[in-house]
Amino acid sequence: TDPTNAASVFRILVAEPDGNAMNIGWLSRTTRLYSVNRTTNIVEGWGAPLTSEIPGDASGTNVFADGTPPTNAVFYRISVQAP
């Protein structure tokens, strides 16, 4: 995001099942790197990321497919950092 631009926001666009996977999509910038975490219990914490250092896509949208989502309730977290 650009802190000088009120229209520049970090936002999750989609979190939906696709067959046996869970697709997580978010707004992205090519000047940022992204990580995806998953947990079934927020109180116990996030643990290691499922994937990290995903470069922002030139289209402005990134999508990650979690191919092994738990069958019970699950929480996802997208982290962003400057390279």
Side-chain angles (χ1 to χ4, degrees):
T1 61
D2 179 351
T4 64
N5 180 350
S8 176
V9 296
F10 177 68
R11 180 175 40 185
I12 302 297
L13 298 174
V14 65
E16 63 185 9
D18 182 15
N20 291 330
M22 177 64 78
N23 288 337
I24 312 297
W26 63 92
L27 292 176
S28 64
R29 294 179 56 103
T30 57
T31 58
R32 300 288 182 257
L33 297 173
Y34 300 89
S35 299
V36 179
N37 290 75
R38 173 184 76 194
T39 188
T40 56
N41 186 329
I42 293 176
V43 174
E44 292 179 5
W46 292 98
L50 295 172
T51 187
S52 61
E53 297 190 9
I54 303 168
D57 193 88
S59 70
T61 303
N62 275 62
V63 176
F64 171 77
D66 180 359
T68 58
T71 56
N72 52 339
V74 63
F75 302 92
Y76 290 92
R77 176 178 70 176
I78 311 299
S79 302
V80 59
Q81 66 185 34

